[in-house]
mmCIF file of all heavy atoms in Angstrom:
data_model
loop_
_atom_site.group_PDB
_atom_site.id
_atom_site.type_symbol
_atom_site.label_atom_id
_atom_site.label_comp_id
_atom_site.label_asym_id
_atom_site.label_seq_id
_atom_site.Cartn_x
_atom_site.Cartn_y
_atom_site.Cartn_z
ATOM 1 N N GLY A 1 -24.141 5.855 -11.152
ATOM 2 C CA GLY A 1 -24.409 5.127 -12.381
ATOM 3 C C GLY A 1 -23.159 4.771 -13.157
ATOM 4 O O GLY A 1 -23.238 4.117 -14.208
ATOM 5 N N ILE A 2 -22.003 5.155 -12.652
ATOM 6 C CA ILE A 2 -20.739 4.795 -13.298
ATOM 7 C C ILE A 2 -20.417 3.344 -12.942
ATOM 8 O O ILE A 2 -20.509 2.959 -11.776
ATOM 9 C CB ILE A 2 -19.595 5.721 -12.815
ATOM 10 C CG1 ILE A 2 -19.930 7.175 -13.126
ATOM 11 C CG2 ILE A 2 -18.273 5.328 -13.466
ATOM 12 C CD1 ILE A 2 -18.957 8.170 -12.493
ATOM 13 N N PRO A 3 -20.062 2.522 -13.919
ATOM 14 C CA PRO A 3 -19.806 1.105 -13.642
ATOM 15 C C PRO A 3 -18.735 0.894 -12.574
ATOM 16 O O PRO A 3 -17.750 1.633 -12.509
ATOM 17 C CB PRO A 3 -19.349 0.552 -14.999
ATOM 18 C CG PRO A 3 -19.918 1.496 -16.001
ATOM 19 C CD PRO A 3 -19.916 2.847 -15.352
ATOM 20 N N TYR A 4 -18.963 -0.117 -11.761
ATOM 21 C CA TYR A 4 -17.996 -0.508 -10.733
ATOM 22 C C TYR A 4 -17.053 -1.546 -11.321
ATOM 23 O O TYR A 4 -17.483 -2.463 -12.025
ATOM 24 C CB TYR A 4 -18.734 -1.094 -9.526
ATOM 25 C CG TYR A 4 -17.838 -1.671 -8.445
ATOM 26 C CD1 TYR A 4 -17.276 -0.849 -7.480
ATOM 27 C CD2 TYR A 4 -17.566 -3.037 -8.390
ATOM 28 C CE1 TYR A 4 -16.475 -1.371 -6.469
ATOM 29 C CE2 TYR A 4 -16.758 -3.572 -7.393
ATOM 30 C CZ TYR A 4 -16.214 -2.729 -6.439
ATOM 31 O OH TYR A 4 -15.413 -3.251 -5.464
ATOM 32 N N GLY A 5 -15.761 -1.409 -11.024
ATOM 33 C CA GLY A 5 -14.795 -2.372 -11.535
ATOM 34 C C GLY A 5 -13.787 -2.769 -10.491
ATOM 35 O O GLY A 5 -13.584 -2.070 -9.495
ATOM 36 N N ILE A 6 -13.169 -3.912 -10.687
ATOM 37 C CA ILE A 6 -12.084 -4.350 -9.806
ATOM 38 C C ILE A 6 -10.799 -3.729 -10.320
ATOM 39 O O ILE A 6 -10.307 -4.087 -11.384
ATOM 40 C CB ILE A 6 -11.981 -5.889 -9.785
ATOM 41 C CG1 ILE A 6 -13.272 -6.490 -9.233
ATOM 42 C CG2 ILE A 6 -10.782 -6.329 -8.939
ATOM 43 C CD1 ILE A 6 -13.315 -8.005 -9.299
ATOM 44 N N GLY A 7 -10.268 -2.787 -9.555
ATOM 45 C CA GLY A 7 -9.103 -2.044 -10.011
ATOM 46 C C GLY A 7 -7.788 -2.606 -9.524
ATOM 47 O O GLY A 7 -6.743 -2.347 -10.115
ATOM 48 N N PHE A 8 -7.825 -3.353 -8.414
ATOM 49 C CA PHE A 8 -6.591 -3.891 -7.840
ATOM 50 C C PHE A 8 -6.794 -5.339 -7.430
ATOM 51 O O PHE A 8 -7.858 -5.722 -6.948
ATOM 52 C CB PHE A 8 -6.176 -3.094 -6.592
ATOM 53 C CG PHE A 8 -5.825 -1.664 -6.875
ATOM 54 C CD1 PHE A 8 -6.788 -0.674 -6.758
ATOM 55 C CD2 PHE A 8 -4.545 -1.309 -7.255
ATOM 56 C CE1 PHE A 8 -6.470 0.654 -7.002
ATOM 57 C CE2 PHE A 8 -4.224 0.007 -7.514
ATOM 58 C CZ PHE A 8 -5.186 0.993 -7.390
ATOM 59 N N ILE A 9 -5.762 -6.123 -7.618
ATOM 60 C CA ILE A 9 -5.713 -7.470 -7.072
ATOM 61 C C ILE A 9 -4.829 -7.398 -5.843
ATOM 62 O O ILE A 9 -3.689 -6.934 -5.907
ATOM 63 C CB ILE A 9 -5.142 -8.475 -8.085
ATOM 64 C CG1 ILE A 9 -6.012 -8.487 -9.355
ATOM 65 C CG2 ILE A 9 -5.068 -9.864 -7.455
ATOM 66 C CD1 ILE A 9 -7.465 -8.849 -9.127
ATOM 67 N N LYS A 10 -5.365 -7.861 -4.723
ATOM 68 C CA LYS A 10 -4.640 -7.770 -3.463
ATOM 69 C C LYS A 10 -3.976 -9.098 -3.138
ATOM 70 O O LYS A 10 -4.584 -10.157 -3.253
ATOM 71 C CB LYS A 10 -5.610 -7.395 -2.337
ATOM 72 C CG LYS A 10 -4.957 -7.302 -0.968
ATOM 73 C CD LYS A 10 -5.993 -6.976 0.100
ATOM 74 C CE LYS A 10 -5.363 -6.978 1.475
ATOM 75 N NZ LYS A 10 -6.358 -6.718 2.554
ATOM 76 N N ASN A 11 -2.716 -9.020 -2.736
ATOM 77 C CA ASN A 11 -2.008 -10.196 -2.241
ATOM 78 C C ASN A 11 -2.575 -10.533 -0.873
ATOM 79 O O ASN A 11 -2.431 -9.761 0.074
ATOM 80 C CB ASN A 11 -0.506 -9.897 -2.158
ATOM 81 C CG ASN A 11 0.306 -11.111 -1.762
ATOM 82 O OD1 ASN A 11 -0.211 -12.042 -1.128
ATOM 83 N ND2 ASN A 11 1.570 -11.126 -2.137
ATOM 84 N N LYS A 12 -3.215 -11.667 -0.738
ATOM 85 C CA LYS A 12 -3.884 -12.042 0.497
ATOM 86 C C LYS A 12 -2.918 -12.491 1.587
ATOM 87 O O LYS A 12 -3.323 -12.713 2.721
ATOM 88 C CB LYS A 12 -4.884 -13.170 0.222
ATOM 89 C CG LYS A 12 -5.989 -12.770 -0.741
ATOM 90 C CD LYS A 12 -6.930 -13.931 -1.008
ATOM 91 C CE LYS A 12 -8.017 -13.540 -1.994
ATOM 92 N NZ LYS A 12 -8.927 -14.672 -2.277
ATOM 93 N N TYR A 13 -1.644 -12.601 1.242
ATOM 94 C CA TYR A 13 -0.694 -13.150 2.203
ATOM 95 C C TYR A 13 0.254 -12.095 2.757
ATOM 96 O O TYR A 13 1.326 -12.400 3.235
ATOM 97 C CB TYR A 13 0.093 -14.291 1.544
ATOM 98 C CG TYR A 13 -0.816 -15.342 0.998
ATOM 99 C CD1 TYR A 13 -1.129 -15.392 -0.354
ATOM 100 C CD2 TYR A 13 -1.438 -16.256 1.849
ATOM 101 C CE1 TYR A 13 -2.011 -16.344 -0.846
ATOM 102 C CE2 TYR A 13 -2.313 -17.210 1.360
ATOM 103 C CZ TYR A 13 -2.602 -17.247 0.007
ATOM 104 O OH TYR A 13 -3.475 -18.181 -0.476
ATOM 105 N N ILE A 14 -0.180 -10.850 2.712
ATOM 106 C CA ILE A 14 0.608 -9.781 3.306
ATOM 107 C C ILE A 14 -0.332 -8.921 4.121
ATOM 108 O O ILE A 14 -1.488 -8.705 3.742
ATOM 109 C CB ILE A 14 1.317 -8.928 2.221
ATOM 110 C CG1 ILE A 14 2.219 -7.874 2.871
ATOM 111 C CG2 ILE A 14 0.335 -8.269 1.304
ATOM 112 C CD1 ILE A 14 3.089 -7.126 1.862
ATOM 113 N N GLY A 15 0.133 -8.450 5.275
ATOM 114 C CA GLY A 15 -0.707 -7.633 6.148
ATOM 115 C C GLY A 15 -0.899 -6.244 5.581
ATOM 116 O O GLY A 15 -0.340 -5.867 4.551
ATOM 117 N N ARG A 16 -1.699 -5.456 6.280
ATOM 118 C CA ARG A 16 -1.925 -4.078 5.848
ATOM 119 C C ARG A 16 -0.602 -3.329 5.813
ATOM 120 O O ARG A 16 0.273 -3.524 6.645
ATOM 121 C CB ARG A 16 -2.909 -3.383 6.797
ATOM 122 C CG ARG A 16 -4.311 -3.957 6.652
ATOM 123 C CD ARG A 16 -5.318 -3.139 7.403
ATOM 124 N NE ARG A 16 -6.667 -3.596 7.069
ATOM 125 C CZ ARG A 16 -7.775 -2.995 7.474
ATOM 126 N NH1 ARG A 16 -7.707 -1.920 8.212
ATOM 127 N NH2 ARG A 16 -8.950 -3.463 7.127
ATOM 128 N N THR A 17 -0.460 -2.423 4.853
ATOM 129 C CA THR A 17 0.822 -1.795 4.571
ATOM 130 C C THR A 17 1.464 -1.163 5.792
ATOM 131 O O THR A 17 2.652 -1.274 6.019
ATOM 132 C CB THR A 17 0.628 -0.705 3.493
ATOM 133 O OG1 THR A 17 0.010 -1.306 2.365
ATOM 134 C CG2 THR A 17 1.948 -0.104 3.086
ATOM 135 N N PHE A 18 0.666 -0.502 6.612
ATOM 136 C CA PHE A 18 1.247 0.241 7.718
ATOM 137 C C PHE A 18 1.789 -0.641 8.819
ATOM 138 O O PHE A 18 2.451 -0.171 9.722
ATOM 139 C CB PHE A 18 0.245 1.221 8.314
ATOM 140 C CG PHE A 18 -1.059 0.589 8.710
ATOM 141 C CD1 PHE A 18 -1.113 -0.291 9.766
ATOM 142 C CD2 PHE A 18 -2.208 0.872 8.010
ATOM 143 C CE1 PHE A 18 -2.300 -0.868 10.135
ATOM 144 C CE2 PHE A 18 -3.402 0.297 8.382
ATOM 145 C CZ PHE A 18 -3.451 -0.575 9.441
ATOM 146 N N ILE A 19 1.538 -1.951 8.772
ATOM 147 C CA ILE A 19 2.077 -2.841 9.794
ATOM 148 C C ILE A 19 3.597 -2.980 9.634
ATOM 149 O O ILE A 19 4.311 -3.268 10.569
ATOM 150 C CB ILE A 19 1.400 -4.223 9.711
ATOM 151 C CG1 ILE A 19 -0.087 -4.085 10.041
ATOM 152 C CG2 ILE A 19 2.043 -5.229 10.638
ATOM 153 C CD1 ILE A 19 -0.356 -3.562 11.443
ATOM 154 N N SER A 20 4.122 -2.731 8.431
ATOM 155 C CA SER A 20 5.566 -2.809 8.224
ATOM 156 C C SER A 20 6.271 -1.804 9.121
ATOM 157 O O SER A 20 5.845 -0.666 9.236
ATOM 158 C CB SER A 20 5.899 -2.505 6.756
ATOM 159 O OG SER A 20 5.231 -3.402 5.894
ATOM 160 N N PRO A 21 7.380 -2.211 9.745
ATOM 161 C CA PRO A 21 8.004 -1.377 10.759
ATOM 162 C C PRO A 21 8.765 -0.160 10.249
ATOM 163 O O PRO A 21 9.064 0.738 11.000
ATOM 164 C CB PRO A 21 8.958 -2.333 11.466
ATOM 165 C CG PRO A 21 9.243 -3.390 10.471
ATOM 166 C CD PRO A 21 8.000 -3.539 9.657
ATOM 167 N N SER A 22 9.110 -0.116 8.987
ATOM 168 C CA SER A 22 9.857 1.033 8.492
ATOM 169 C C SER A 22 9.186 1.629 7.271
ATOM 170 O O SER A 22 8.439 0.958 6.556
ATOM 171 C CB SER A 22 11.288 0.623 8.118
ATOM 172 O OG SER A 22 11.272 -0.188 6.947
ATOM 173 N N GLN A 23 9.459 2.905 7.017
ATOM 174 C CA GLN A 23 8.873 3.571 5.860
ATOM 175 C C GLN A 23 9.334 2.914 4.565
ATOM 176 O O GLN A 23 8.574 2.790 3.617
ATOM 177 C CB GLN A 23 9.244 5.056 5.863
ATOM 178 C CG GLN A 23 8.617 5.849 4.715
ATOM 179 C CD GLN A 23 7.105 5.810 4.747
ATOM 180 O OE1 GLN A 23 6.501 5.893 5.795
ATOM 181 N NE2 GLN A 23 6.497 5.659 3.588
ATOM 182 N N ARG A 24 10.602 2.454 4.534
ATOM 183 C CA ARG A 24 11.114 1.795 3.339
ATOM 184 C C ARG A 24 10.323 0.529 3.050
ATOM 185 O O ARG A 24 9.961 0.253 1.907
ATOM 186 C CB ARG A 24 12.600 1.464 3.530
ATOM 187 C CG ARG A 24 13.208 0.761 2.328
ATOM 188 C CD ARG A 24 14.685 0.489 2.577
ATOM 189 N NE ARG A 24 15.293 -0.190 1.444
ATOM 190 C CZ ARG A 24 16.554 -0.581 1.407
ATOM 191 N NH1 ARG A 24 17.357 -0.317 2.432
ATOM 192 N NH2 ARG A 24 17.025 -1.210 0.355
#
């Protein structure tokens, strides 16, 4: 019963974070 909200705006032009080859 807690309201649902949009908490993040996602950049649609970047892949999932883990696809990046280095931790940096």
Side-chain angles (χ1 to χ4, degrees):
I2 301 171
Y4 174 84
I6 298 174
F8 296 93
I9 301 301
K10 179 182 176 182
N11 185 336
K12 298 178 181 179
Y13 304 100
I14 184 172
R16 291 189 171 186
T17 305
F18 53 68
I19 295 299
S20 302
S22 70
Q23 183 60 40
R24 179 179 180 182

